[in-house]
Amino acid sequence: MLRTLSRVSELPIIVKQLQKNAAQAGVAKTNNYATEATVQVNRPFKLHRLEEGPETTVKLTKDEALKYYTQMQTIRRIETAAGNLYKEKIIRGFCHLYSGQEACAVGMKAAMRDVDNIISAYRVHGWTYLMGVPPLGVLGELTGVQSGCARGKGGSMHMYCPNFYGGNGIVGAQVPLGAGVALACKYKGNGGMCLALYGDGAANQGQVFEAYNMAYLWKLPVIFVCENNNYGMGTSAERASCNTDYYTRGDALPGIWVDGMDVLAVRSATEFAIKYVNEQGPLVMETNTYRYSGHSMSDPGTSYRTREEIQEVRQKRDPITSFKELCIELGLITTDEVKAIDLKVRKEVDEATAQAKNGTELPVSHLWTDVYSNNLEPKLRGTNGYDIDHIQERKGVNH
Amino acid sequence: MLRSRLSKVACAAQRAFSTSPKALAAKQMTVRDGLNSALDDELARDDRVFLLGEEVAQYDGAYKVSRGLWKKYGDKRIIDTPITEMGFAGIAVGAAMAGLRPICEFMTFNFSMQAIDHVINSAAKTFYMSAGAVNVPIVFRGPNGASAGVAAQHSQCFAAWYAHCPGLKVVSPYDTEDARGLLKSAIRDPDPVVVLENELMYGVAFPVDETVTDVDFLVPLGKAKIMRPGKDITIVAHSKAVETALLSAAELAKKGIEAEVINLRSIRPLDMQTIFTSVRKTHHLITVENGWPQHGVGAEICARFMEDPAFFELDAPVWRCCGVDVPMPYAKTLELNALPREPDVTAAALKVLGKK
């Protein structure tokens, strides 16, 4: 493959052939450093009931490259730290890691506007961070200390922040909830939409289809996103679904299949989808992705798939590595900049991990704090009698 | 027949109070109209309020509770749903999380079982799980309990199931004042509230004065009402069973026994203070409910007496009158025998009083 490189700063477009990604790229350069590039999305989108799909030629600026890389790397480090904390038995209960799926969340977030919303299931540590909670807010919630974003009262599956509705433990429940958030956007006329995420396992839930149906009838601005990582716990997609083309399961609803390991493809698809749902009605987006860990920390993840399969994805399709290599090839970031980000992220997450480990839990009085926004119970019952007074600290965002 | 018996009961209740000009000026309003006017008031008052459910819009409501509202407020505020309870209850809860004030109607609470995950896990628990960040100001309402001849799958009382769960509030109106005032309070409340109406009461008219028809009339959640004062025995009931209790009080009065009838109005919170105060006066208590006995409302009241000094005010054990512990049959005689009637309540009262 030939590479032609011209370093004349007034030439806006330079065509480059990339070996690894077989992508067509154009680069805008000033002062011999690229500030913007044009990239061809690697794997084509698949469309269901759509004449036109998302843009396959996308722009990427240096700032965006740094941002997406930093975000994906931070999520990866948070998840690694969480896995280690779990093995040390400092995180208890459930812990579902997002490692391998980073490009989905980062790509979607990149397309979201301030007015947009997102709701997902339990594999949400990465989303919580992207929606504005610092690593300590995530890790502290996992270790159950006060610095957690729900002060330790929610745990891994119940993290919330503005425009992010969790963190939901019941498989599939978040899908109609997300359609409801979209209904609120339309009702209020704020131009916002809601991403309602679920996995290949949840995709067969009846309430998902109920949500599709009503969203279509009422033209709700909701993007139903199936993050298909090929396994619902230990059951492969083929063993659980009669139709594994999840982007077509909306039937009358149009659908898009996206390579979920390609952050730019996910971003492009989400931009298209946001415009579509605001103008026409709901659609279904399937991001084909992969999780390196088991379903949760109690699952080694090797009884139902081979180690070779996991290794192959790590080597050939890792979302962070391939994005890094792309950006370096395009001249948007240097290996030094990458190293600097890696160090910075590691330091930040390591500090947060230490604080999460050493943090203090809420005092016991929080057991009976904020059960109700408007408490009317004269006394709450403790284990042995009606001897507790409800404490009100907060009223809630919808008071 | 039912209406004339009820107007007798209503008169009996009224005779206990002085006939003020206000009472004389009272007009009649059905429970249905009480609910309808409550919905109308709150839709007009707060733009965030909307109603969704099966047949609530163009059909005017399966039981006509939402009659006229779609014509007045349109598609945005009154939304017909497909027959998909889990889906539309989830949508309603999501809308509440995002700042609206939905009223989610279940055509009957039997169908709420399909959606119960959203009532409990999505609505009731969220404020606590989020450490007070996200409250869910939603109302779930609809007819609860036995109707007439609708058989086992359509006759269950869900008071005990919902009242079991912290994070929820549960109310169970009896008359028009209850229905109108409790529904308005429920809609204005920032927490999830379950409003258990009763289909057989929808068509029953009660006198209401202009305080009740006032646009800001509210009945507070968590407070019971003394329907009929008395000194000899306390009878506690909720929803349709209040009527049974009042009929029994009238029968007991013929025997010279003055029963104090308490209408719970709320199941959660349960107004035990009103019941304790009453028992400090009467020293005898029976509970009446149409729901099943095991783990029911009456069972809870008994347990609370065990754990309170008011226990020592009792001169006899508390006794419960409940629906018979069987699925509701269809055949008329069987159905009639499946729920407590006045003779059952009167017999229980006499037994607790040690009289024949």
Side-chain angles (χ1 to χ4, degrees), chain A residues 26-39:
Chain A
V27 183
K29 281 177 176 245
T30 46
N31 301 328
N32 297 332
Y33 294 104
T35 56
E36 189 181 284
T38 306
V39 182

Side-chain angles (χ1 to χ4, degrees), chain A residues 239-396:
Chain A
R239 289 207 298 133
S241 305
C242 61
N243 174 5
T244 55
D245 289 326
Y246 297 102
Y247 70 107
T248 67
R249 300 284 290 275
D251 189 19
L253 278 68
I256 307 172
W257 180 100
V258 187
D259 176 5
M261 305 306 253
D262 179 346
V263 67
L264 297 178
V266 175
R267 184 185 71 173
S268 175
T270 309
E271 279 166 354
F272 174 90
I274 292 176
K275 186 163 184 292
Y276 188 92
V277 303
N278 274 321
E279 290 169 8
Q280 315 237 34
L283 56 71
V284 179
M285 192 164 90
E286 177 187 341
T287 58
N288 197 280
T289 183
Y290 199 85
R291 57 164 160 83
Y292 297 140
S293 305
H295 162 71
S296 70
M297 286 305 297
S298 7
D299 170 26
T302 47
S303 61
Y304 49 86
R305 53 184 189 172
T306 62
R307 289 185 202 275
E308 289 75 44
E309 180 187 290
I310 306 170
Q311 276 305 96
E312 192 181 338
V313 178
R314 265 199 203 271
Q315 275 154 13
K316 298 202 180 147
R317 292 174 56 209
D318 183 85
I320 304 178
T321 313
S322 49
F323 184 67
K324 175 182 75 176
E325 286 169 359
L326 172 69
C327 293
I328 291 173
E329 293 283 359
L330 293 171
L332 285 172
I333 54 183
T334 66
T335 43
D336 283 342
E337 280 170 321
V338 168
K339 279 208 187 82
I341 292 173
D342 288 350
L343 278 170
K344 180 162 172 279
V345 165
R346 182 181 276 269
K347 182 163 178 285
E348 192 188 351
V349 174
D350 284 351
E351 270 168 16
T353 306
Q355 284 180 279
K357 261 172 126 161
N358 298 319
T360 51
E361 281 189 43
L362 283 172
V364 173
S365 58
H366 280 265
L367 179 60
W368 45 84
T369 300
D370 290 337
V371 182
Y372 294 97
S373 173
N374 174 30
N375 176 56
L376 300 170
E377 302 271 6
K379 289 277 186 194
L380 295 185
R381 199 177 189 287
T383 59
N384 286 16
Y386 284 90
D387 48 17
I388 297 178
D389 286 303
H390 179 272
I391 296 175
Q392 170 122 65
E393 264 209 15
R394 303 168 81 176
K395 289 185 179 275

Side-chain angles (χ1 to χ4, degrees), chain B residues 188-200:
Chain B
R188 297 188 192 190
D189 195 280
D191 291 311
V193 185
V194 171
V195 180
L196 302 170
E197 300 159 9
N198 187 289
E199 196 232 310
L200 295 172

Side-chain angles (χ1 to χ4, degrees), chain B residues 11-294:
Chain B
C11 287
Q14 265 186 296
R15 252 178 247 128
F17 307 99
S18 59
T19 42
S20 60
K22 243 192 198 173
L24 288 170
K27 66 168 195 175
Q28 296 284 322
M29 185 190 264
T30 61
V31 170
R32 174 183 291 110
D33 287 340
L35 294 165
N36 183 278
S37 61
L39 293 169
D40 195 356
D41 287 352
E42 298 307 306
L43 283 158
R45 177 181 175 271
D46 186 344
D47 280 335
R48 301 169 300 175
V49 175
F50 70 99
L51 172 67
L52 89 170
E54 295 154 11
E55 313 302 343
V56 296
Q58 296 186 21
Y59 197 88
D60 270 337
Y63 301 100
K64 304 291 176 262
V65 172
S66 55
R67 176 173 44 211
L69 296 177
W70 176 65
K71 277 216 180 70
K72 185 169 175 182
Y73 293 100
D75 288 330
K76 181 180 173 182
R77 314 284 303 279
I78 313 291
I79 304 176
D80 276 336
T81 64
I83 309 171
T84 51
E85 274 77 5
M86 197 168 187
F88 71 70
I91 285 179
V93 175
M97 287 178 176
L100 298 183
R101 296 247 159 170
I103 304 164
C104 176
E105 177 177 304
F106 292 119
M107 198 184 280
T108 77
F109 266 93
N110 302 286
F111 316 138
S112 73
M113 283 200 281
Q114 307 220 295
I116 201 165
D117 178 63
H118 283 297
V119 181
I120 307 303
N121 282 320
S122 304
K125 297 178 184 173
T126 293
F127 188 62
Y128 191 80
M129 288 193 298
S130 66
V134 182
N135 65 306
V136 186
I138 188 168
V139 171
F140 297 100
R141 54 157 292 274
N144 174 61
S147 176
V150 294
Q153 293 179 341
H154 288 73
S155 303
Q156 187 169 333
C157 175
F158 289 86
W161 284 31
Y162 287 118
H164 186 61
C165 301
L168 273 188
K169 291 165 181 167
V170 181
V171 299
S172 183
Y174 161 60
D175 58 20
T176 303
E177 193 178 313
D178 293 350
R180 183 172 149 72
L182 287 171
L183 181 54
K184 284 164 75 68
S185 292
I187 293 169
R188 297 188 192 190
D189 195 280
D191 291 311
V193 185
V194 171
V195 180
L196 302 170
E197 300 159 9
N198 187 289
E199 196 232 310
L200 295 172
M201 296 304 296
Y202 282 155
V204 180
F206 291 88
V208 292
D209 62 29
E210 65 266 6
T211 49
V212 176
T213 52
D214 182 79
V215 82
D216 283 317
F217 172 71
L218 298 171
V219 167
L221 307 184
K223 289 275 177 280
K225 178 182 174 185
I226 297 175
M227 303 297 284
R228 181 197 190 283
K231 58 173 178 51
D232 297 317
I233 182 168
T234 304
I235 309 180
V236 177
H238 74 96
S239 186
K240 186 102 168 62
V242 173
E243 175 200 300
T244 318
L246 287 167
L247 288 169
S248 175
E251 271 309 302
L252 289 166
K254 291 182 194 161
K255 296 177 195 281
I257 298 168
E258 293 303 317
E260 180 149 285
V261 175
I262 298 180
N263 169 6
L264 279 175
R265 286 180 156 179
S266 286
I267 316 293
R268 185 171 187 116
L270 199 51
D271 184 3
M272 288 310 297
Q273 282 315 311
T274 300
I275 307 174
F276 290 148
T277 303
S278 176
V279 167
R280 276 192 275 275
K281 185 171 57 170
T282 66
H283 307 293
H284 298 82
L285 172 65
I286 62 171
T287 69
V288 190
E289 68 201 286
N290 283 350
W292 292 319
Q294 189 159 339

